[in-house]
């Protein structure tokens, strides 16, 4: 299956790129610059493309991102600390982000005669991000079938949509993903902060998967308190 992977440079999408390269025909990686404060993730996507020997297309949609205000990822809003599934993490939502990116990626895929676009949304995203849920994936697939009818047959491939991030770590290890060459932290500093939702989720995923975490965190132990606090809230 000739596939284009949407790759942010994060653990999930880089693992997916390695999976596709091993199981299918990886045509290219496509990344999006939407004005995210953690733009350094794009450098890790570029490294992944070089490592896998495929083109890396960076699509500049900063003019669109500038209008999607109110998100901690693109606006002057503090990135919250804590567990990934906490209500406070809703401040990291960029409205319709995946729908916008996928629409562009499908156009690119059709033009390049690809058979699929792959995206690394996963089960842990469902609580916060509506455009990461199975219903969205199915609906987007159906919409694109109409949008490209008679011109191209491109499918949306989301193999992680019902699994945990820990399962992605396990899968990534299987395909030799160099986890130390991925970026997750939403704060975009010199090192992973270890405190924002994505850092906590990343650290917890390695722990649950039983895989050594090579990430250099500013606060490597915060995840323990954050996950315990969230679990206590869930019990209440």
């Amino acid at each position: 299956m000739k596939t284009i992977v949407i790759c942010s440079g994060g653990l999930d999408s880089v693992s997916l790129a390695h999976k596709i390269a091993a199981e299918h025909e990886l045509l290219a990686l496509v990344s999006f610059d939407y004005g995210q404060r953690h733009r350094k993730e794009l450098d890790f996507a570029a490294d992944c493309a070089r490592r896998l020997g495929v083109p890396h297309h960076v699509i500049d949609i900063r003019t669109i991102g500038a209008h999607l205000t109110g998100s901690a990822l693109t606006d002057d809003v503090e990135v919250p600390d804590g567990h990934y599934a906490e209500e406070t993490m809703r401040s990291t939502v960029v409205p319709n982000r995946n729908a916008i990116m996928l629409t562009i990626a499908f156009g690119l895929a059709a033009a390049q005669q690809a058979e699929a676009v792959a995206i690394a949304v996963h089960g842990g995203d469902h609580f916060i991000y509506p455009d990461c849920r199975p219903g969205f994936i199915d609906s987007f697939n159906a919409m694109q079938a109409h949008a490209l009818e008679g011109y191209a047959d491109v499918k949306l491939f989301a193999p992680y949509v019902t699994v945990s991030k820990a399962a992605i770590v396990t899968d990534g290890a299987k395909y030799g993903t160099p986890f130390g060459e991925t970026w997750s932290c939403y704060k975009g500093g010199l090192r992973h902060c270890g405190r924002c939702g994505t850092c906590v989720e990343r650290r917890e995923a390695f722990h649950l998967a039983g895989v050594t975490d090579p990430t250099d965190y500013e606060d490597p132990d915060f995840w323990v308190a954050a996950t315990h606090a969230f679990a206590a809230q869930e019990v209440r």
Side-chain angles (χ1 to χ4, degrees):
M1 183 167 63
K2 297 178 180 179
T3 306
I4 290 175
V5 172
I6 295 180
C7 184
S8 66
L11 185 154
D12 307 331
S13 60
V14 171
S15 294
L16 178 59
H18 278 260
K19 178 184 182 71
I20 296 297
E23 295 183 348
H24 301 282
E25 182 179 350
L26 179 62
L27 293 186
L29 304 186
V30 59
S31 303
F32 294 87
D33 182 352
Y34 56 94
Q36 61 268 48
R37 71 170 68 207
H38 57 301
R39 189 186 182 281
K40 66 183 297 178
E41 66 180 2
L42 300 178
D43 295 334
F44 291 85
D47 290 342
C48 180
R50 282 192 291 269
R51 191 166 55 246
L52 296 176
V54 296
H56 180 222
H57 307 298
V58 179
I59 310 299
D60 187 348
I61 56 171
R62 285 176 293 176
T63 53
I64 296 174
H67 293 282
L68 304 179
T69 57
S71 172
L73 302 192
T74 58
D75 220 335
D76 189 21
V77 177
E78 186 176 358
V79 175
D81 293 340
H83 195 276
Y84 192 65
E86 286 185 4
E87 186 69 24
T88 55
M89 295 302 158
R90 290 191 184 277
S91 67
T92 64
V93 171
V94 178
N96 231 32
R97 178 179 61 174
N98 282 348
I100 293 168
M101 293 178 180
L102 280 168
T103 299
I104 295 171
F106 263 75
L108 183 65
Q112 296 190 2
Q113 298 182 316
E115 297 170 288
V117 171
I119 188 169
V121 297
H122 64 86
D125 292 329
H126 298 174
F127 180 81
I128 308 169
Y129 306 114
D131 56 359
C132 291
R133 297 169 186 160
F136 168 79
I137 296 298
D138 293 342
S139 297
F140 193 92
N141 239 335
M143 182 270 288
Q144 282 297 325
H146 290 291
L148 294 173
E149 186 176 5
Y151 181 78
D153 184 11
V154 182
K155 303 298 184 186
L156 178 52
F157 184 48
Y160 299 145
V161 70
T162 60
V163 305
S164 68
K165 196 178 190 80
I168 297 176
V169 170
T170 299
D171 199 53
K174 174 183 175 182
Y175 293 106
T177 302
F179 296 119
E181 297 176 40
T182 65
W183 185 265
S184 298
C185 184
Y186 279 163
K187 295 184 180 180
L190 294 177
R191 302 158 65 196
H192 281 78
C193 73
R195 299 180 64 89
C196 71
T198 50
C199 279
V200 170
E201 185 195 35
R202 179 185 176 108
R203 183 68 186 87
E204 182 183 25
F206 278 104
H207 172 73
L208 293 174
V211 174
T212 300
D213 184 356
T215 313
D216 178 25
Y217 299 99
E218 291 180 6
D219 190 341
D221 300 319
F222 175 78
W223 74 278
V224 177
T227 53
H228 287 172
F230 178 73
Q233 289 177 7
E234 289 291 279
V235 170
R236 290 200 300 269

